[in-house]
Amino acid sequence: MDVRIFKTEEEIGAAAGKMFCDFVNSKPDCVLGFATGATPVPTYSYMADQCDKGNVTFKDVKTFNLDEYCDLPKEHKNSFYMFMYDNLFSKVDLKPENIDFLDGNTDPEAESARYAASIEAKGGIDIQLLGIGRNGHIAFNEPADEFSGEAYKIKLTDSTIEANSIYFDDIAMPRYAMTMGIGSIMKAKKIIFIATGASKAQAVHDMIKGEVTPKCPASILQNHADVTVFLDEAAASML
Ligand code: F6R
């Protein structure tokens, strides 16, 4: 893993965002995989700003996202689709028909097969962006007894519910989500991984220095050939 340590979230956003923009400029019809959460917001801001300045265009880019809540309308303000719409999709020139998202309100098995076929039909994900949960989860692959394969429906852990329920002020946070599996994430040709803050330090340590185990799902990234890790000093403090 290529580990890079920065002082601020903004510096990470600029560095990771530049990596995405440079890649899009080299392959304008590439396939990008995105993540939600607080961590990638500065990266999306950088990309939107570069698009606004005419330094990059996303008009032929295709996108997928890692996960989506179940039992929550796509238009609800806390859906991951709306998060992406607010932070990136509405700010760049991506075409709506080039944006694919897991549907958390349909049959999970059929949706998993549809998503895998859609990724495959577009040539696979060129760069997948990842964050990490305090418990080592990537996407919503929570600590488990074995690594998952393609997308599936998962019951969220108490730790994840506690971390994300701060965003839900009108309804209870959903207990289930559809998530890309570890197998589908590992198929991405390149991974850009970002973690910031002391609350991620233990998970980052276990991911990079620990054994490869489904108890820390992110540790599987040790087996991926092309991972660039962007950390701030707090997230890197246990390395
Ligand atoms: C969301 C996702 C999650 C988050 C993780 C960290 O699409 O994939 O694994 O990356 O929960 O979330 P933040 O960035 O809010 O700390």
Side-chain angles (χ1 to χ4, degrees):
M1 291 187 208
D2 173 5
V3 180
R4 305 180 188 187
I5 300 170
F6 295 80
K7 287 242 181 282
T8 66
E9 290 181 13
E10 287 65 36
E11 283 176 285
I12 293 177
K18 183 172 184 318
M19 196 172 260
F20 272 109
C21 292
D22 287 349
F23 187 75
V24 172
N25 282 329
S26 71
K27 186 179 179 188
D29 61 347
C30 64
V31 181
L32 301 181
F34 290 138
T36 57
T39 312
V41 169
T43 302
Y44 295 144
S45 298
Y46 180 90
M47 291 161 75
D49 187 49
Q50 290 299 305
C51 187
D52 194 43
K53 289 177 171 148
N55 294 334
V56 66
T57 173
F58 295 88
K59 69 180 177 49
D60 294 321
V61 171
K62 286 122 195 147
T63 76
F64 291 89
N65 259 78
L66 287 171
D67 38 20
E68 181 57 284
Y69 289 118
C70 293
D71 311 312
L72 187 71
K74 185 178 177 183
E75 299 74 25
H76 188 274
K77 65 183 170 75
N78 290 123
S79 76
F80 286 162
Y81 176 80
M82 284 312 294
F83 173 92
M84 289 305 303
Y85 182 83
D86 292 341
N87 286 285
L88 188 71
F89 297 163
S90 63
K91 298 180 174 172
V92 297
D93 55 351
L94 270 168
K95 293 187 184 131
E97 64 269 29
N98 286 341
I99 296 170
D100 202 342
F101 231 90
L102 279 164
D103 183 347
N105 296 305
T106 189
D107 174 63
E109 282 184 24
E111 179 59 1
S112 172
R114 182 199 70 77
Y115 212 56
S118 179
I119 294 171
E120 179 93 24
K122 287 166 184 158
I125 293 175
D126 290 299
I127 306 183
Q128 176 65 57
L129 181 58
L130 293 179
I132 190 169
R134 295 173 209 171
N135 61 3
H137 75 212
I138 48 174
F140 270 145
N141 293 284
E142 303 282 26
D145 292 333
E146 53 189 41
F147 289 114
S148 55
E150 301 288 353
Y152 63 107
K153 180 173 178 173
I154 186 158
K155 187 174 193 324
L156 301 175
T157 62
D158 291 344
S159 147
T160 299
I161 290 168
E162 187 198 327
N164 288 16
S165 55
I166 52 164
Y167 300 113
F168 286 83
D169 54 12
D170 55 344
I171 58 168
M173 182 179 148
R175 268 31 189 175
Y176 290 87
M178 281 295 289
T179 181
M180 273 172 66
I182 295 291
S184 15
I185 292 169
M186 289 294 280
K187 281 187 199 161
K189 291 160 205 160
K190 177 177 182 60
I191 305 274
I192 292 180
F193 173 97
I194 308 178
T196 53
S199 68
K200 304 290 176 68
Q202 182 69 55
V204 167
H205 168 273
D206 295 350
M207 168 182 114
I208 295 174
K209 297 259 163 99
E211 63 168 320
V212 176
T213 164
K215 303 287 182 208
C216 175
S219 64
I220 194 76
L221 298 176
Q222 291 178 30
N223 293 344
H224 193 289
D226 188 354
V227 184
T228 306
V229 177
F230 294 88
L231 304 173
D232 68 1
E233 287 169 355
S237 61
M238 293 178 71
L239 292 179

